[in-house]
Amino acid sequence: MSFKFTEQNLQRIEQETKKYPVRKPALMAALYIAQEQNGFISFEVIKEIADVLGITSEEVLGVVTFYTMYHQKQMGKYHIQVCTNVSCMLRGGFEIWDQVKNKFGLDHMGVTEDKKFSLEEVECMGSCGSAPMIAINEDFYENLSKEKVDEILESLRSAN
Ligand code: FES
């Protein structure tokens, strides 16, 4: 399936390129914008970004595969990221990980059949002081208990 940036998103990328003497450093921002528009980074997205920034597809792919926040397949509407790194682990991160896994029958990078939820085990998200934490899309939920996690997930389950 082909991919073209919307006019508005092309303008956003142009704005990003103006921050640097060359266009390549706008790559991470372009990938973020592309993921927002397309849901994930497909091969067609990679080609379009390479064209827009005047770099090679390999250069784009290298960044896509290095950073876990860029997804190479369609994830759920609510993408749940559970931190199991040290601070979160010491405060119940693995229990929360198991809880979410069992609730949706998912494993790492799994997506529910209705495409509503997906799950990812992540390394530290910089919120150690308020461990344990999860992120759902761009929102952080901190100082969690299993009860709070269940409340959050149930509210999303009943949301559109
Ligand atoms: S260890 Fe979980 S946010 Fe840092």
Side-chain angles (χ1 to χ4, degrees):
M1 204 192 310
S2 70
F3 174 83
K4 288 283 170 209
F5 279 112
T6 62
E7 202 47 50
Q8 189 188 6
N9 281 343
L10 273 178
Q11 284 171 17
R12 288 170 70 194
I13 294 169
E14 283 310 308
Q15 282 302 114
E16 289 295 327
T17 63
K18 290 193 176 104
K19 295 177 183 171
Y20 312 101
V22 292
R23 296 174 70 76
K24 188 176 172 184
L27 175 53
M28 290 191 69
L31 282 166
Y32 183 84
I33 292 166
Q35 186 157 285
E36 198 182 76
Q37 182 181 322
N38 193 58
F40 69 106
I41 308 297
S42 64
F43 181 63
E44 290 73 21
V45 170
I46 289 175
K47 275 171 47 189
E48 167 79 347
I49 292 176
D51 283 350
V52 167
L53 294 180
I55 59 178
T56 67
S57 294
E58 289 74 17
E59 287 174 302
V60 181
L61 184 64
V63 173
V64 172
T65 52
F66 184 80
Y67 292 101
T68 57
M69 74 255 200
Y70 301 124
H71 301 139
Q72 292 178 269
K73 68 174 187 178
Q74 185 74 57
M75 303 310 288
K77 177 178 181 185
Y78 298 109
H79 184 57
I80 305 163
Q81 299 151 83
V82 180
C83 176
T84 55
N85 211 312
V86 181
S87 300
C88 287
M89 175 191 72
L90 291 172
R91 293 182 48 86
F94 274 113
E95 284 76 9
I96 291 173
W97 169 245
D98 286 338
Q99 179 187 4
V100 183
K101 270 172 69 174
N102 294 335
K103 189 169 186 81
F104 296 114
L106 295 175
D107 217 323
H108 179 62
M109 299 308 277
V111 185
T112 54
E113 260 179 41
D114 62 4
K115 309 268 186 246
K116 193 163 183 181
F117 295 97
S118 53
L119 177 62
E120 181 177 8
E121 183 179 12
V122 294
E123 297 299 323
C124 180
M125 296 188 83
S127 196
C128 321
S130 45
M133 63 81 67
I134 65 174
I136 301 176
N137 299 339
E138 306 295 321
D139 298 320
F140 278 23
Y141 298 85
E142 300 163 308
N143 293 308
L144 292 172
S145 60
K146 289 180 88 171
E147 291 70 30
K148 277 193 205 167
V149 170
D150 214 47
E151 222 172 84
I152 295 161
L153 298 180
E154 280 306 317
S155 74
L156 294 178
R157 226 180 199 172
S158 51
N160 284 326

